[in-house]
Amino acid sequence: MSEIPVQAHQAREARVPGEAVPGETWHDSLWHSSPPGSIYDYIKVASFSIGPDGLIDQWSLRAEELFGLTPAQAVGRDPVDAFMPPELRADGHRRVAGILDGKEWTGLIPFRIPGGDGKHGVAEIYVMPTRTESSERAALCVVVDVRALRRIESDLAASQAIFGQSPFGFLLFGTDLTVQRANRRFATVFGGDAEEHRGRTVHDYLPPHEADRMAEALRRVLETGESVTDLQITGAAPGSREHRHWSINLYRVHGGTGRPVGVAGLGTDVTRRHLAAREAAGVRRNLALLNEAGHRIGNSLDLETTARELLDVTVPGFCDLAAVDLYQGLLLGDDDRPARPQGPGVPSLPGPGRAPSAPLRRVAFASAVSDAPLSGPGALVSVGETHRYPAGSPGALALRTARPRLVEGGGPESGDLVQSTLVVPLVAHDTVVGLAQFSRTKGSEPFGERDRAVAVELAARAAVCIDNARLYRREHERALMLQRSLLPPGDPEAAGLDIACRYLPGNAATEVGGDWFDVIELPGHRTALVVGDVMGRGLRAAVAMGELRTAVRTLALLDLEPAEVLTALDEVARGLGAPGGSQQASRAALHSRDADRSEVYLATCVYAVYDPVTRRCTIANAGHMPPVLVEPVEEGGEPRPGLLLEIPPGMPLGVGGEPFEEVEVELPEGALLALYTDGLVESRDHPLEEGLRGLRDALADPARPLEEVCDHVLNTLDTRHGEDDIALLMARVQGLPVDAVGDWQLPREARSVGRARELARAKLPAWGLEGLLDTTELLVSELVTNALRYGEGEIRLRLLLDRTLVCEVWDANLVQPRRRRARDTDEGGRGLQLVGLLSAGWGTRRTHRGKTVWFELPLPGAVAESVTELSAEQLLSMYG
């Protein structure tokens, strides 16, 4: 019989919990319902019996373990003498005698602990009277170690404290995954008394999908013994629609023999922690969004691009749909300045001349939803379309109050797509410049107060960038207007030259540069060709360009040599950055502190003077790109690439202290001369040498019409239009025909005056200028007379016919003639007065061998006849 429990125990250990052993009957199961490892094993119950003689007659194995005595040592002994100390034996004998008289007794007895080195323990003994077969009185003694009882009591108390008093929900599931026990905390959350939950399953508490997850976790823990920690479960308490979040910990529970008896589950409500984590994640996401906005919004100084940058940041990171509207007047540049705020901290209405109902233009739209229509309050609007928000609509209210609006739902135009929309005004410097809309579709988290604050911050950053772009656009347009106003209007004309020019300003994303070109008519049908570039960009560069261009024109009227023009222009450039001009700049250069405060304007310039009579060009360079000369193609010959003229480069204007050199170049008939700025040949993507080579190749065929040549150059070169301004000035050499020039040397004699009149009278009829004969004859005689009276050396007379008639008289004296008013008694001194009154213009210039005095007459029909006739008042003024 003793082997049966052991075998049954082994069979139970070998089977899966809840699975029947084949061949096991219900009687067997009942018989083995309390296998070893039950409560009796934990409390170590021992037994022995006392015979009628008061001696031990039976001794159990448990008694042997408890007291450390074998049956041979215990049977036949007096229990009092065997277990009790000597001082207690007298009382013990009385107790045993009473028991044998038929009295029950329960008490504590001390005993020596086996192997305890003399230590004593306490046992609780239950003595029950019995009778032998011969009806003699005996006793059965049941003994329990008090230490084991105290341990069990402590364990029960601890278990009850943990299970019953735990602030967390505690469940004990059986092997069939039904609730065996629930604590008070669990019952408080899910209702009812703790006992009422016995026999329920997880499907009675959780939604189906969450219950399935929980049941699967329970089965896995029961089968494998591997614990599950922090299983996140979402559900709602009975009678509540609020979603709660629980963290579940599961571990398998074993019996005394190690047999699984169920699964313990500890549930913690982590809803607040979950909300806090979600809140923290939202804050981190918003901070990252704002950080990204700081890096990505405002990189462009273009209004539309800045609006698109805002949407690139917010879609899909912040919302699913977004749109930006800006006031039409702002886009057109009608708004010159922001309105002042109407009160402390109160934004103004939408700027001067812009009421809330003023038209807006949709400048950007973005969607993270495929084929999604534009949603949110207001009618459907396409990008680029102008519209108005209806009065009383959220958009109109946001514009009028400068405060954001939260709209639940997307309105009828968006169907069931949109869940909520934030309508946020774009406010910059207390002025509303437009409106931004952010929408979230259904299925996304609706907008909250934190989202409102983020949207306002994003809109504020974008609004400041948009306003900066507006201000830049206004300044850019003004600078561009200033720059264009300083360039030659229309197509310049020059004697002996066919001229074509191109100017390409940088795009709106780049500042206006200081590139310029000019074509200046000089006396003697000569022409000055100028191309320059002020280093730097912006309005100040454009203003500096204007000042230098004006200075060039002024210096050109003095008819100085090209090197002298650049020297004087260098002084002007040095004085641009100092309030006192060039002298102040020179003094500032001697004092480093003043030099630091003064601005430095540097510019490059090439100045060329072309004489159509000689077809020679004198060129001086101040740090600029060298001109390109393309010689004409001979008949039957192959086009050749252009040549870079070897001209000393010189230092840029504004450096000072370095002289400029000039070179004289003879230009053959039909040759092409090209002057340009570095934007045409220089780019960050290729070296300068490559750009110059491309320009020379593009100019290889000078016989094409000049306008086509200009277009061909711009279309062929990889100029990266928009990175920098480009100025291109091209001139094809034609020269004056031989029969359009009259050139004579006159001896220094009095008869040369008459000879000059004869030459003029003979030449003008051949040109068909009989109407100018008298005037020309008179003025020529006056200039030759002055040359004889005040000049030196031989006299040279030259008549030039082009768009006007020019007369030049040369002599070797460097002293410039000075016009003065003659006194009434003077017999002479009125020659230059006559020249000034009768000609369209006159002047004087120095040459390498003396000076030249010239006058110019318009051809008949070019001006009114009254210009060449003196009135009586004009004649009298010469003598008055």
Side-chain angles (χ1 to χ4, degrees), residues 204-536:
D204 296 320
Y205 305 107
L206 299 174
H209 64 284
E210 292 288 79
D212 293 340
R213 290 180 56 231
M214 181 74 173
E216 178 61 28
L218 288 170
R219 278 191 292 271
R220 186 168 61 254
V221 171
L222 188 61
E223 293 173 359
T224 65
E226 295 180 359
S227 301
V228 172
T229 58
D230 197 22
L231 175 63
Q232 296 293 319
I233 297 295
T234 303
S240 174
R241 300 180 60 183
E242 181 182 1
H243 276 72
R244 311 293 296 177
H245 298 267
W246 291 286
S247 174
I248 305 298
N249 297 302
L250 302 175
Y251 58 93
R252 192 168 68 180
V253 180
H254 303 84
T257 61
R259 178 173 59 90
V261 296
V263 177
L266 178 65
T268 306
D269 191 337
V270 293
T271 303
R272 291 186 179 179
R273 187 176 71 188
H274 182 81
L275 294 177
R278 188 170 64 179
E279 183 78 13
V283 171
R284 288 194 297 270
R285 183 177 64 251
N286 291 336
L287 289 176
L289 185 69
L290 294 175
N291 182 61
E292 183 183 8
H295 287 86
R296 296 182 60 182
I297 299 177
N299 293 324
S300 170
L301 289 173
D302 180 74
L303 292 169
E304 292 82 358
T305 303
T306 303
R308 287 193 296 269
E309 289 171 347
L310 171 63
L311 302 194
D312 290 341
V313 171
T314 56
V315 179
F318 179 71
C319 60
D320 302 314
L321 302 164
V324 175
D325 299 324
L326 298 179
Y327 277 108
Q328 178 77 350
L330 181 143
L331 294 169
L332 297 177
D334 296 338
D335 182 78
D336 290 332
R337 64 185 187 281
R340 289 192 172 275
Q342 299 174 347
V346 180
S348 70
L349 290 179
R354 291 206 306 265
S357 59
L360 298 100
R361 185 195 303 171
R362 177 68 42 87
V363 295
F365 169 72
S367 171
V369 184
S370 59
D371 300 328
L374 180 62
S375 57
L380 293 175
V381 180
S382 302
V383 174
E385 184 177 346
T386 303
H387 68 101
R388 287 181 172 87
Y389 284 100
S393 65
L397 293 175
L399 291 172
R400 185 167 63 249
T401 62
R403 299 184 184 279
R405 297 277 172 168
L406 177 60
V407 182
E408 298 296 338
E413 68 281 352
S414 60
D416 297 329
L417 177 66
V418 172
Q419 175 178 241
S420 59
T421 299
L422 275 172
V423 183
V424 185
L426 300 173
V427 182
H429 306 110
D430 297 320
T431 300
V432 179
V433 298
L435 192 71
Q437 297 183 54
F438 308 104
S439 298
R440 288 181 179 174
T441 58
K442 292 185 177 179
S444 301
E445 182 180 357
F447 288 116
E449 287 300 320
R450 184 182 66 247
D451 298 318
R452 182 195 294 258
V454 172
V456 170
E457 177 64 22
L458 289 171
R461 295 189 181 193
V464 171
C465 295
I466 288 173
D467 194 57
N468 290 339
R470 175 187 68 85
L471 294 175
Y472 172 78
R473 174 181 288 185
R474 184 184 64 183
E475 295 302 318
H476 184 273
E477 290 176 351
R478 289 179 177 178
L480 190 59
M481 185 182 303
L482 171 64
Q483 188 181 43
R484 287 176 175 171
S485 67
L486 296 175
L487 296 175
D491 296 327
E493 296 181 358
L497 292 176
D498 182 14
I499 295 178
C501 53
R502 294 289 187 274
Y503 177 77
L504 298 179
N507 56 33
T510 59
E511 294 188 72
V512 172
D515 294 15
W516 91 92
F517 69 91
D518 208 347
V519 178
I520 307 171
E521 295 186 31
L522 300 178
H525 290 311
R526 294 171 304 126
T527 303
L529 304 176
V530 188
V531 171
D533 183 5
V534 176
M535 298 182 185

Side-chain angles (χ1 to χ4, degrees), residues 739 741-747 751-767 769 772-774 776-778 780-781 784 795-800 805-809 855:
D739 56 359
V741 178
D743 195 351
W744 305 278
Q745 294 285 344
L746 300 176
R751 60 186 181 87
S752 293
V753 178
R755 176 61 179 164
R757 287 198 298 268
E758 292 175 359
L759 293 173
R761 180 172 293 276
K763 192 66 175 177
L764 263 60
W767 290 341
L769 300 179
L772 298 180
L773 194 58
D774 294 338
T776 304
E777 186 179 358
L778 174 61
V780 165
S781 64
V784 173
I795 300 171
R796 183 179 179 184
L797 172 65
R798 191 166 74 168
L799 295 177
L800 306 176
L805 176 64
V806 174
C807 175
E808 297 177 337
V809 176
F855 67 84

